[in-house]
Amino acid sequence: MTRPAAFATVGAAIGTGRIDRRVLHATVAERIRDLITQGTLAPGARLNERVICDRLGVSRTPLREALKVLAGEGLVRLTPNRGAEVTRLSRDEVEQTFELMGALEALAGELAASRATGAEIAALGRLNAAMRQAHGARDLPGYYRANQSIHAGIAAAARNPVLAQTYRNINTRIQALRFSSNLNRDKWDAAMREHDQMLEALEARDGPRLGALMRAHLAHKRVIVLAQLDGQEKVVASVRFGAGLEADARLAHQPHAAARLDAASAARVDVASGTRRKTRPVPRDSVGRGGVR
């Protein structure tokens, strides 16, 4: 997958903002988590403790606590005698995780449509408006923050704590991939339209439709991300528009429809070559010796 232009050394990415010592490891974890989610720290990037401690003005103890938190979330891999690095999911793991997330989001949508309060639906509507504003301004970080809040809000409105916790645990592993799926303008525009349709279904308290729309939304993300991982960065702009999404939603809601939806989604991928290309490995330079490039 092509790395974002913002990808830089760990030191440059983190900046020099000191952290309030009253929050320490939680804030360190949040800072690194955001950099991973936004793709600034790419899969496989080595996390040099000395550089990070120097940039953030903290000792190694809170940093190591933060890295343990991130390792528990699946974002960082800790290896004896090698330190920490950003987790790199295999293609199969990515595909399987998106499949699971599609099922979780669909269930959350179905339940939220009947269990959400009027205040919660109004709040989600405001978040969707904020997301649309960020989309219009081409503010991808702002868009994604609102996007995360919407999906988390729907999961919370389902009134199923086990579902909400499972959603958080699994979603954390693919946040960076979900973020990168909007780097192309056409794909981003399509995702925004899909969210408008999901809000309409929620406001109408149409659980089956909302669940099907959310399952289709994740299926589209999966196709885009897998194409990126395969080096196929040209995906047809019709990654679904209007009626196309509704059609996929109806298909996704039918028994045994997943395979057919995958085939329909794959058919819209504009493959530059007929063979799968391997993604270029990320250089594993130690940050302390010139940084991850």
Side-chain angles (χ1 to χ4, degrees):
M1 184 191 303
T2 302
R3 284 176 245 144
F7 184 77
T9 65
V10 170
I14 292 176
T16 58
R18 298 305 194 200
I19 289 177
D20 188 330
R21 292 185 179 277
R22 293 172 296 181
V23 290
L24 288 177
H25 83 274
T27 304
V28 174
E30 181 179 3
R31 183 79 63 85
I32 298 174
R33 184 185 298 111
D34 286 345
L35 294 172
I36 293 172
T37 299
Q38 296 176 14
T40 306
L41 294 178
R46 297 277 294 279
L47 302 177
N48 184 284
E49 290 187 2
R50 181 184 61 77
V51 172
I52 296 175
C53 288
D54 180 63
R55 291 284 182 169
L56 298 183
V58 298
S59 67
R60 296 199 177 196
T61 298
L63 172 60
R64 287 173 178 172
E65 288 300 315
L67 292 176
K68 289 179 183 178
V69 170
L70 297 174
E73 295 176 358
L75 291 176
V76 167
R77 180 170 290 123
L78 302 177
T79 306
N81 302 319
R82 288 183 57 83
E85 65 179 40
V86 179
T87 300
R88 185 200 304 275
L89 296 178
S90 70
R91 189 185 189 283
D92 285 345
E93 288 173 325
V94 170
E95 184 170 20
Q96 292 159 11
T97 303
F98 268 94
E99 286 178 346
L100 176 57
M101 280 303 302
L104 292 174
E105 297 244 21
L107 177 59
E110 291 176 12
L111 296 176
S114 61
R115 298 178 181 179
T117 65
E120 286 174 322
I121 293 175
L124 288 167
R126 289 191 294 272
L127 281 169
N128 194 73
M131 188 169 67
R132 175 165 284 287
Q133 183 176 8
H135 170 265
R138 295 299 161 186
D139 173 11
L140 184 54
Y143 173 94
Y144 193 66
R145 283 191 295 271
N147 180 287
Q148 285 180 294
S149 296
I150 289 172
H151 284 274
I154 291 174
R159 298 288 186 278
N160 185 319
V162 176
L163 170 61
Q165 184 61 52
T166 304
Y167 167 85
R168 286 192 293 271
N169 292 344
I170 302 300
N171 188 56
T172 299
R173 303 186 68 198
I174 57 172
Q175 281 185 349
L177 296 172
R178 293 181 73 157
F179 181 91
S180 70
S181 69
N182 292 320
L183 292 176
N184 175 278
R185 180 165 183 165
D186 289 337
K187 301 168 195 173
W188 190 3
D189 291 346
M192 185 66 242
R193 283 189 289 274
E194 292 173 8
H195 268 277
D196 287 340
Q197 292 179 11
M198 287 187 278
L199 178 62
E200 290 173 2
L202 177 62
E203 291 174 336
R205 294 191 177 277
D206 187 340
R209 178 175 175 236
L210 178 56
L213 286 168
M214 295 187 74
R215 184 186 296 273
H217 182 66
L218 265 291
H220 302 160
K221 294 288 184 186
R222 183 172 76 246
V223 170
I224 292 169
V225 168
L226 291 177
Q228 290 174 330
L229 291 177
D230 290 341
Q232 302 161 357
E233 299 194 5
K234 291 185 65 179
V235 178
V236 176
S238 62
V239 167
R240 302 309 196 255
F241 298 94
L245 177 64
E246 294 283 3
D248 284 344
R250 291 192 295 272
L251 181 62
H253 196 59
Q254 298 172 9
H256 310 298
R260 285 178 285 158
L261 177 56
D262 290 345
S265 299
R268 288 169 170 78
V269 179
D270 182 11
V271 184
S273 74
T275 58
R276 181 182 302 170
R277 291 178 291 174
K278 295 183 179 179
T279 54
R280 184 176 60 183
V282 175
R284 303 175 66 86
D285 301 353
S286 168
V287 174
R289 295 194 296 274
V292 178
R293 303 185 185 281

